[in-house]
Amino acid sequence: MTDAKPIISIRNVTKNFGRVTAVDNVSIDVMPGEFFALLGPSGCGKTTLLRMLAGFETTSGGEIEIDGQAMLGVPPNKRPVNMVFQSYAVFPHMTVFDNVAYGLKVTGVPKAEITGQVEEALSLVHLEDYGRRKPDQLSGGQRQRVALARALVKKPKVLLLDEPLSALDAKLREAMRLELVRLQHSVGITFVIVTHDQDEALSMADRAAVMDRGVVRQIAPPGELYEHPNSLFVADFIGKVNMLEAKVAGQSGGDLVVEVEGMGRIAVPHEGAAAGNISIAVRPEKTLLSADKPGEGVLALKGKISDVAYYGNESHILLDTETGVQFTSTVQNDARRTESSVAIGDDLWISWAPGNTLVLAE
Amino acid sequence: MEDWRKNKLAFAIFMGPATFWLLVFFTIPVVVIWIYSFGERGPMGQTYLSFSFDNYLRAIEPIHLKILWKSIWIGGLSTFLCLVVGFPVALGIAFAPDRWKNPLLLVVVLPFFTNMLIRTFAWIVVLGSRGVVNNGLGWMHGQLDWLFTLVGQPDLMGRFVPLGLLYNNYTVIIGLVYVHLPFLILPLYATLEKLDRSYLEASLDLGAGQWRTFFSVLAPLAMPGIVTGCLLVFILSMGNFLVPDRLGGTDSLMIGNLIAQEFNKARDWPFGAALSFAVMYPVFIFFVINALRARFKERARGRA
Ligand SMILES: Nc1ncnc2c1ncn2[C@@H]1O[C@H](COP(=O)(O)OP(=O)(O)OP(=O)(O)O)[C@@H](O)[C@H]1O
Ligand SMILES: [Mg+2]
């Protein structure tokens, strides 16, 4: 994949709205056929970046190339991309068929070909029997699929999707995630999807860019974002972390030796250098709870249970540790465990393997 | 809403004033005029209730039909021109930055702060033989004359003859467009303002140009505002009597003038009433058809 030419190349792109910098010096390469996610909290500039790709916003600086072509000054109707809008924007005054046919009609595709292509696109999204309906006779999920078919029928180089699942209910959202991935595989088009939902990005994307206040913090496949976040922001945004402040004391072999209040000097595996004040963290599901002090070779803290949050398949147990930092441990509510095994006020040890420690230099 | 309907008292309290207002100031006068339209003018201009169709037969005499027809085309043309002029204005305001919208809307309704009669007279000042336009043209004529005299052609321009811009059908149309423009801009603006911009962006995104987007997406979605605005302007233009009276020529008589004449000078109220209703029946029929069509559509949708 690395030697292929990127289908989208974003180089140092910046966007200012007056004094607000919505997108700040962003560089991203998206490869052909990739399912790429732009992920970040509300207001971080995801939509703005996507709209610059579609041509609805001009760039304040930097360059965008799509399919090897510079996009500066190219209007939206001349770009080899199509967009699925957050509101879907399915034309209410046209039937489903006419909606899908619209993009073909306006570019002068012969009538004889339109019908076939529209029917093909509709069957791709399982709406073959809905061509004659008006949008107000469709459910939200069906409208979304019309928007998808309408964009896909244009056979764009890149499909841009702005929070395509946010208007759907939880069950349907989950089904549509799989559906979108299936669709992307079957049409082989590059997808760039905007979402603020980390589960969505992790479950669908081949790679994701995590954005924070206009800046890209990390670009990586989902597994790497989760297992090797490069910053506290990414670690905290992608899943939950228990975080401790630490001070680098030295290096020993492949380990970094850090000083943590309440734990003393500990060694954690870490590649690369780090110095000064840093953070170390551990994911809640990578911790263990025990009544007795754990043996050697693990990192442990003593604490008191302050709350137990029940989530059905798992419970989140909150622990006030002796260092004064609150920790969360996730335990599976499986057959081996009964809910009554822990109670608020219990004194417990929380422990984890040094290898599961995330070293967050930023 | 549902609860209101159940609670009859609350419903009556809320709906009462509006119903009363409509009844006293609209329904009753209209019914009275309607009854008059079947009456007969007495020798002194009184109205006898004789229940004959004579007035209507008179109303559809060719001379009156001709005036009605003229009113329709002048009204129609004014409406069309209002749409052509007003659509870009409404669009401009709807798409202007938020802080500009209210000042711009104020500019649109500003003329309403002046009496319509005075606004109509203003056109006489503008278009009259000694009006602003003619004076401007005269001044330019004088300058050219001076120039040509300088280059040795003193008689080339001749004497300036003011253009007869007033007192014809075109002036009436200009006046009607001017007076009624806000009635088109405001409802159209209200519709365009609510319109979700992503429809337009979607159209562009799918490869349509600006014009295609305008005619295939923007105009159809703005249709409720277009229809409301055009209906308002058409009805008001067709019934207007002040503008043709002040700005029109001898052949600019419109149905409104005729009705006003019958009620005022001729003191023939029954005939005036019949003329009014001759205009109102088509409008009624139009609304009934429209309502039936809407209901039919609704039902078709329910079945689908
Ligand atoms: N047209 C605009 N004018 C001024 N500021 C804007 C405009 N569009 C976006 N912004 C600002 O730019 C920043 C990024 O906005 P953007 O819509 O890209 O965020 P987002 O990441 O898509 O957020 P969300 O998840 O809430 O949709 C925000 O601070 C927003 O207020
Ligand atoms: Mg957004």
Side-chain angles (χ1 to χ4, degrees):
Chain A
M1 205 187 242
T2 40
D3 46 277
K5 252 179 82 76
I7 185 97
I8 300 177
S9 161
I10 301 169
R11 288 272 149 266
N12 307 102
V13 165
T14 296
K15 177 69 186 180
N16 302 313
F17 291 111
R19 257 175 293 151
V20 181
T21 302
V23 173
D24 190 359
N25 198 19
V26 164
S27 296
I28 298 174
D29 280 338
V30 180
M31 293 299 157
E34 210 174 10
F35 199 128
F36 194 92
L38 292 171
L39 178 62
S42 186
C44 72
K46 312 176 293 282
T47 298
T48 306
L49 186 56
L50 199 74
R51 289 171 58 81
M52 287 195 284
L53 293 178
F56 297 125
E57 304 281 1
T58 55
T59 50
S60 309
E63 285 138 40
I64 294 174
E65 267 184 27
I66 298 176
D67 199 25
Q69 225 189 323
M71 284 294 121
L72 191 71
V74 179
N77 50 346
K78 298 271 155 53
R79 296 193 178 202
V81 302
N82 282 106
M83 183 142 164
V84 174
F85 290 81
Q86 185 165 8
S87 59
Y88 307 149
V90 174
F91 303 131
H93 60 295
M94 297 182 194
T95 61
V96 168
F97 184 95
D98 289 337
N99 260 283
V100 179
Y102 184 78
L104 300 175
K105 271 185 206 156
V106 298
T107 42
V109 175
K111 268 219 170 73
E113 290 170 32
I114 289 180
T115 311
Q117 290 189 31
V118 170
E119 276 166 4
E120 193 187 330
L122 284 176
S123 74
L124 204 58
V125 295
H126 310 301
L127 284 178
E128 35 298 70
D129 300 330
Y130 289 76
R132 287 168 59 188
R133 294 232 192 154
K134 281 288 193 69
D136 60 357
Q137 302 166 322
L138 299 177
S139 71
Q142 289 166 337
R143 261 200 293 270
Q144 186 215 27
R145 283 185 277 157
V146 175
L148 268 171
R150 188 175 69 173
L152 288 173
V153 80
K154 296 277 293 175
K155 304 209 163 56
K157 291 274 179 354
V158 179
L159 187 68
L160 307 171
L161 305 106
D162 189 2
E163 310 248 4
L165 307 180
S166 62
L168 307 179
D169 63 60
K171 263 260 154 33
L172 192 55
R173 200 171 336 167
E174 210 131 309
M176 275 312 289
R177 281 184 199 170
L178 300 174
E179 185 69 20
L180 277 179
V181 173
R182 176 195 69 85
L183 210 57
Q184 199 249 348
H185 283 305
S186 67
V187 296
I189 293 172
T190 310
F191 276 31
V192 176
I193 186 173
V194 157
T195 176
H196 62 262
D197 182 336
Q198 36 130 344
D199 288 339
E200 218 166 274
L202 294 185
S203 63
M204 293 194 292
D206 298 320
R207 280 195 310 151
V210 182
M211 293 181 69
D212 171 26
R213 281 169 295 170
V215 179
V216 170
R217 301 303 290 263
Q218 189 170 6
I219 304 175
E224 196 179 323
L225 285 177
Y226 193 81
E227 301 294 344
H228 303 289
N230 68 354
S231 58
L232 188 58
F233 177 82
V234 174
D236 195 38
F237 190 74
I238 311 273
K240 285 193 165 170
V241 284
N242 297 306
M243 201 267 291
L244 290 167
E245 279 165 19
K247 199 184 186 91
V248 177
Q251 207 98 24
S252 105
D255 288 354
L256 192 68
V257 180
V258 295
E259 177 101 37
V260 179
E261 198 194 318
M263 292 177 87
R265 285 194 170 207
I266 56 171
V268 291
H270 179 62
E271 290 165 29
N277 292 323
I278 61 164
S279 305
I280 63 166
V282 61
R283 301 265 182 215
E285 74 281 5
K286 304 235 159 119
T287 61
L288 282 174
L289 294 175
S290 57
D292 306 319
K293 188 174 174 13
E296 287 299 302
V298 297
L299 301 171
L301 278 169
K302 198 164 186 244
K304 195 186 275 293
I305 294 181
S306 65
D307 196 15
V308 178
Y310 179 67
Y311 284 91
N313 61 335
E314 60 182 32
S315 293
H316 295 183
I317 295 167
L318 263 63
L319 215 65
D320 287 328
T321 64
E322 280 179 337
T323 60
V325 182
Q326 197 171 55
F327 264 56
T328 305
S329 178
T330 314
V331 296
Q332 293 299 315
N333 293 325
D334 52 27
R336 281 165 291 151
R337 200 179 277 276
T338 55
E339 217 205 316
S340 59
S341 63
V342 290
I344 293 173
D346 285 358
D347 283 318
L348 283 180
W349 285 87
I350 185 166
S351 61
W352 66 95
N356 284 330
T357 310
L358 306 172
V359 176
L360 305 165
E362 285 176 49
Chain B
M1 256 335 256
E2 222 54 66
D3 290 344
W4 281 23
R5 294 224 177 106
K6 275 191 212 122
N7 190 340
K8 293 248 163 59
L9 182 68
F11 193 67
I13 288 171
F14 279 110
M15 294 305 289
T19 313
F20 179 80
W21 192 89
L22 267 180
L23 195 72
V24 171
F25 294 106
F26 180 73
T27 314
I28 292 176
V30 164
V31 169
V32 168
I33 297 291
W34 186 62
I35 292 171
Y36 273 17
S37 74
F38 298 101
E40 199 179 321
R41 182 185 189 274
M44 309 294 290
Q46 325 88 309
T47 300
Y48 296 133
L49 295 181
S50 55
F51 300 103
S52 75
F53 285 93
D54 290 353
N55 295 314
Y56 286 104
L57 288 177
R58 233 179 106 198
I60 57 170
E61 277 169 15
I63 179 169
H64 299 133
L65 276 185
K66 216 178 115 196
I67 291 174
L68 184 63
W69 174 239
K70 174 160 205 156
S71 309
I72 289 172
W73 81 253
I74 287 191
L77 191 57
S78 310
T79 307
F80 175 74
L81 289 176
C82 263
L83 186 63
V84 171
V85 176
F87 206 117
V89 177
L91 201 59
I93 301 175
F95 282 66
D98 280 339
R99 70 203 145 90
W100 281 104
K101 282 180 185 168
N102 281 330
L104 287 171
L105 284 174
L106 189 69
V107 169
V108 169
V109 296
L110 208 55
F112 282 134
F113 287 84
T114 319
N115 184 290
M116 182 153 111
L117 191 65
I118 293 173
R119 277 184 286 148
T120 309
F121 274 120
W123 279 104
I124 297 178
V125 175
V126 173
L127 297 175
S129 57
R130 302 196 149 273
V132 177
V133 172
N134 271 320
N135 278 351
L137 287 173
W139 182 81
M140 276 197 285
H141 181 276
Q143 299 301 309
L144 281 176
D145 203 29
W146 178 76
L147 260 180
F148 283 124
T149 312
L150 255 169
V151 297
Q153 298 280 340
D155 301 322
L156 192 72
M157 295 296 291
R159 248 176 62 85
F160 175 70
V161 184
L163 301 176
L165 300 173
L166 265 181
Y167 311 125
N168 56 49
N169 289 337
Y170 302 108
T171 333
V172 173
I173 290 173
I174 291 175
L176 289 175
V177 169
Y178 164 72
V179 167
H180 297 130
L181 201 52
F183 293 102
L184 190 119
I185 292 176
L186 293 180
L188 195 51
Y189 164 78
T191 310
L192 291 173
E193 160 73 2
K194 278 183 299 185
L195 194 102
D196 186 350
R197 300 295 144 81
S198 53
Y199 290 128
L200 308 180
E201 290 182 345
S203 171
L204 292 174
D205 186 69
L206 292 167
Q210 305 278 353
W211 286 106
R212 182 76 195 221
T213 300
F214 181 88
F215 286 107
S216 296
V217 178
L218 183 62
L221 292 178
M223 208 37 93
I226 295 176
V227 170
T228 309
C230 285
L231 262 178
L232 265 176
V233 172
F234 182 70
I235 291 171
L236 290 173
S237 300
M238 209 178 83
N240 193 298
F241 62 93
L242 194 68
V243 171
D245 191 51
R246 296 289 112 184
L247 302 181
T250 44
D251 69 334
S252 298
L253 198 71
M254 283 173 68
I255 195 76
N257 303 94
L258 193 59
I259 294 169
Q261 264 178 25
E262 293 305 324
F263 275 97
N264 293 328
K265 290 204 201 90
R267 292 197 55 77
D268 192 345
W269 283 37
F271 181 51
L275 277 174
S276 310
F277 271 91
V279 179
M280 275 169 82
Y281 291 135
V283 177
F284 276 146
I285 291 168
F286 177 83
F287 276 109
V288 169
I289 290 174
N290 222 16
L292 284 178
R293 219 185 45 162
R295 188 177 301 178
F296 181 75
K297 252 187 176 170
E298 197 97 317
R299 221 176 279 160
R301 183 149 306 168
R303 264 204 311 271

